[in-house]
Amino acid sequence: MEKMNLNEKLEKIKSWLETGSLNIFGLPMSGKDTVGMRLAEDLQAKFLSSGIIIRAYEAEQNDDMTGSGKLIPTNTFYDIILPYFSREELSNDSLVLSSVGRWSGEEDKIMEAAKAGGHEIKAVVMLDLTEEEVKNRFEAAKILNDRGERADDSNIEVFETRLAEFREKTMPVLNHYDELKMLVKVPAIGSRDEVYTNVIDRLVEFIDSL
């Protein structure tokens, strides 16, 4: 069989996804938003990042909920994020999500709300990096100053808290998705183009395995 090119792979993913959702996870600095925004553009989907939404909410309310590196309380997360799945302007779109539902137990509510809004979560991508690798990226980002004015990237102590939160609260979420056979692990080492190509290839393999 002749190999598909990138556009053909994207068309395959788009046809399979319909108005469903892809949820992208990974350690801090793993490239979730970078991959997610590019994927959303190529699939003509809408991109929703819980981090971006929450930071916008913080600015609007003048309330620092994430500066310590800890996840916000689940009930507050639900109040801010869940209504997005039922927004009328998104009703005919597929969605690419960036780490929506990071705390163990939130994934069930997210899947329920997504399905009710017509955006069933159809796969969960995990950008796979070690903590050592993301710490190296953290140090490089401080030198390059390419992360903007993010309070949760302000110092190594806050960053270490974010890593601990991922280990303790988010890894159980990913284990649950794995048990549901929804998890697609993707090596996140290499250039941005290489990582993106890996994501596309693994999603196509996942679709073929269904």
Side-chain angles (χ1 to χ4, degrees):
M1 181 182 292
E2 192 172 323
K3 287 187 177 180
M4 290 187 293
N5 61 36
L6 178 60
N7 286 336
E8 289 169 333
K9 292 174 183 177
L10 287 167
E11 282 301 317
K12 181 168 186 168
I13 296 168
K14 185 178 176 182
S15 176
W16 163 77
L17 188 58
E18 297 180 320
T19 62
S21 302
L22 298 172
N23 204 355
I24 302 175
F25 284 84
L27 284 164
M29 302 279 178
S30 61
K32 298 180 293 295
D33 287 355
T34 299
V35 169
M37 286 188 283
R38 183 172 175 181
L39 190 58
E41 182 178 358
D42 285 348
L43 295 176
Q44 296 177 301
K46 291 295 190 296
F47 177 70
L48 294 180
S49 163
S50 59
I52 291 173
I53 292 169
I54 290 165
R55 286 192 293 277
Y57 178 86
E58 287 177 311
E60 182 182 303
Q61 301 294 320
N62 194 27
D63 182 10
D64 181 11
M65 297 184 292
T66 58
S68 69
K70 288 186 174 292
L71 298 180
I72 67 172
T74 291
N75 287 342
T76 305
F77 174 81
Y78 289 158
D79 290 343
I80 298 171
I81 301 295
L82 291 187
Y84 277 82
F85 289 108
S86 298
R87 286 195 168 193
E88 187 176 348
E89 66 268 26
L90 300 178
S91 61
N92 295 318
D93 294 306
S94 53
L95 305 178
V96 176
L97 314 173
S98 179
S99 290
V100 175
R102 302 182 191 186
W103 199 328
S104 181
E106 291 178 351
E107 67 275 17
D108 288 326
K109 195 76 172 179
I110 293 299
M111 284 190 285
E112 179 184 313
K115 189 170 184 178
H119 302 290
E120 179 182 3
I121 295 177
K122 302 188 77 170
V124 175
V125 173
M126 177 183 175
L127 298 176
D128 204 8
L129 285 175
T130 66
E131 289 194 9
E132 181 181 359
E133 288 160 348
V134 298
K135 286 178 183 177
N136 289 339
R137 291 188 181 189
F138 173 81
E139 294 299 330
K142 284 200 300 184
I143 296 170
L144 294 171
N145 193 28
D146 63 352
R147 296 279 288 176
E149 299 298 323
R150 285 188 53 172
D152 55 355
D153 282 345
S154 60
N155 58 60
I156 189 62
E157 289 79 13
V158 172
F159 192 70
E160 291 280 5
T161 298
R162 293 176 66 202
L163 296 182
E165 292 283 276
F166 186 90
R167 282 194 305 270
E168 296 164 15
K169 297 173 180 175
T170 305
M171 276 309 301
V173 171
L174 295 171
N175 290 337
H176 187 193
Y177 281 127
D178 196 20
E179 290 168 0
L180 295 173
K181 302 190 183 304
M182 297 173 65
L183 191 66
V184 181
K185 288 187 179 181
V186 181
I189 288 292
S191 70
R192 292 182 177 185
D193 284 344
E194 289 170 334
V195 173
Y196 184 69
T197 298
N198 287 341
V199 170
I200 299 301
D201 288 344
R202 293 296 176 94
L203 280 172
V204 170
E205 291 171 8
F206 175 77
I207 294 167
D208 286 341
S209 72
L210 297 175

